[in-house]
Amino acid sequence: MAIDANKPYDDENIFAKILRGEIPSKKVYEDEWAYAFHDIAPQAPLHILVIPKGRYVSWNDFSASASSEEIAGFVRAVGKIARDHDLVEPGYRLLANVGENGGQEVPHFHIHLFGGKPLGRMISA
Ligand code: 5GP
């Protein structure tokens, strides 16, 4: 069920629980700003979710309300994770679903990082 990207942050969302270590995840990276782990239902040979440590519902919330430090730290973490997985060549895809039309299901902002095969054109409806 897609979520309303403008709702207040819900501390009981599944990624908040992962951040607090209350439910397990397959961690690939962590620093002051970001936590990254394998998606439970991968849609490519490599499918990593990167989430900010802060309490942001969506890209909309994060881009409007996060500090410049948080944004810079998060963006640098995403780039580092891709480089650490040797994805720069042959390439990869980043995706952020936002709200109902975007199909966002988990109300903690996250970037999907896909790689490991040619990913085709952008959207298959
Ligand atoms: P969204 O549709 O919100 O952009 O993507 C949510 C993603 O979170 C989905 O790709 C889904 O497979 C993944 N996901 C949902 N619950 C869990 C979980 O408990 N653990 C992990 N690792 N991924 C999850």
Side-chain angles (χ1 to χ4, degrees), residues 17-63:
K17 291 181 179 176
I18 284 176
L19 267 180
R20 293 195 296 265
E22 292 170 9
I23 62 169
S25 63
K26 289 187 182 164
K27 172 170 134 176
V28 301
Y29 179 79
E30 181 172 15
D31 66 17
E32 185 180 354
W33 309 110
Y35 183 81
F37 53 102
H38 291 285
D39 196 292
I40 205 166
Q43 307 216 7
L46 188 69
H47 183 172
I48 291 170
L49 298 168
V50 192
I51 66 178
K53 292 260 175 104
R55 299 164 71 256
Y56 299 101
V57 174
S58 66
W59 164 258
N60 182 54
D61 188 16
F62 187 69
S63 61

Side-chain angles (χ1 to χ4, degrees):
M1 171 95 162
I3 60 114
D4 176 351
N6 296 311
K7 276 199 319 197
Y9 188 82
D10 171 11
D11 283 300
E12 294 309 309
N13 81 74
I14 197 114
F15 292 173
K17 291 181 179 176
I18 284 176
L19 267 180
R20 293 195 296 265
E22 292 170 9
I23 62 169
S25 63
K26 289 187 182 164
K27 172 170 134 176
V28 301
Y29 179 79
E30 181 172 15
D31 66 17
E32 185 180 354
W33 309 110
Y35 183 81
F37 53 102
H38 291 285
D39 196 292
I40 205 166
Q43 307 216 7
L46 188 69
H47 183 172
I48 291 170
L49 298 168
V50 192
I51 66 178
K53 292 260 175 104
R55 299 164 71 256
Y56 299 101
V57 174
S58 66
W59 164 258
N60 182 54
D61 188 16
F62 187 69
S63 61
S65 303
S67 69
S68 300
E69 243 187 334
E70 286 176 295
I71 292 171
F74 180 77
V75 169
R76 289 202 190 280
V78 175
K80 176 172 169 46
I81 292 161
R83 287 189 295 279
D84 287 351
H85 287 79
D86 291 325
L87 293 175
V88 177
E89 288 294 339
Y92 61 98
R93 177 168 296 154
L94 302 178
L95 175 76
N97 295 319
V98 184
E100 194 171 341
N101 271 14
Q104 182 180 359
E105 292 185 342
V106 178
H108 181 115
F109 169 49
H110 50 282
I111 293 272
H112 296 258
L113 192 163
F114 301 105
K117 71 169 189 181
L119 295 163
R121 292 303 301 158
M122 286 182 279
I123 292 177
S124 54

